[in-house]
Amino acid sequence: MTPTTTHPQGEGRPADEPAVPELAALRRSAPTDLAPTILVRVGLADEYFTADAGVGPIFVAYNGRGVSATWLAERPDAGDAFEDAFGARFGRAIRVARRPEAGVVSRVTRSLAEGRSRGLTFDLRGLTPFATGVLEGARTIPPGEIRPYAWLAREVGRPRAVRAVG
């Protein structure tokens, strides 16, 4: 005896037939950018947009983990060079954001205007622990102030690594 379904709309049908054939008509293909968007959100790929940094436009790369790179956009058509350099350095795909995430754009814009990175998260994967420490140490310098490389080297626990900090 062939087992039958117990679903009210599919009673009496063999178990290997769809219980509700009408569902097949609702089937749609996923949007073409769904997979890349998901990869960006989980940090396996990146997107970028252009922001005004006061010194000119910059490319800001980001993913679900945070801002992953910035690059001075010396020319409007420099996006290809940025994408190539990003891919070579980080080994991840990157694309121009069709609709950059509003939260990321507003946090970056605010940070650039204030001269501080408050509210931003950063994806520092691929950097050495030393480089990560230097960047995190540099974030502690108040806006508008400067510190010598020797100060930063001491702050990250490597007082003799002044040139490397530079």
Side-chain angles (χ1 to χ4, degrees):
M1 176 174 220
T2 304
T4 58
T5 63
T6 56
H7 190 280
Q9 294 175 345
E11 271 192 38
R13 295 180 190 210
D16 61 345
E17 287 184 24
V20 185
E22 296 80 12
L23 288 178
L26 299 175
R27 188 169 145 175
R28 300 280 183 264
S29 296
T32 57
D33 68 340
L34 179 63
T37 300
I38 290 172
L39 291 175
V40 168
R41 289 197 176 139
V42 298
L44 297 176
D46 296 73
E47 290 184 328
Y48 71 96
F49 61 93
T50 305
D52 181 16
V55 296
I58 60 170
F59 296 126
V60 179
Y62 68 93
N63 60 48
R65 295 175 181 223
V67 172
S68 52
T70 58
W71 177 291
L72 187 59
E74 297 169 353
R75 300 181 330 267
D77 62 343
D80 289 342
F82 172 62
E83 292 173 18
D84 292 344
F86 184 93
R89 166 111 192 215
F90 298 106
R92 294 191 304 271
I94 189 165
R95 67 179 183 164
V96 175
R98 291 185 186 147
R99 290 183 313 256
E101 290 185 30
V104 173
V105 173
S106 66
R107 287 190 299 275
V108 166
T109 302
R110 185 178 58 243
S111 292
L112 289 169
E114 294 176 354
R116 55 180 54 193
S117 59
R118 183 180 43 187
L120 284 178
T121 57
F122 296 93
D123 180 1
L124 301 178
R125 285 178 296 162
L127 298 179
T128 64
F130 174 74
T132 300
V134 169
L135 291 173
E136 289 173 352
R139 286 183 67 193
T140 66
I141 301 170
E145 294 187 19
I146 60 171
R147 298 288 187 275
Y149 294 147
W151 177 89
L152 189 50
R154 281 192 308 275
E155 287 296 303
V156 299
R158 301 279 304 273
R160 296 176 54 116
V162 176
R163 289 187 71 184
V165 164

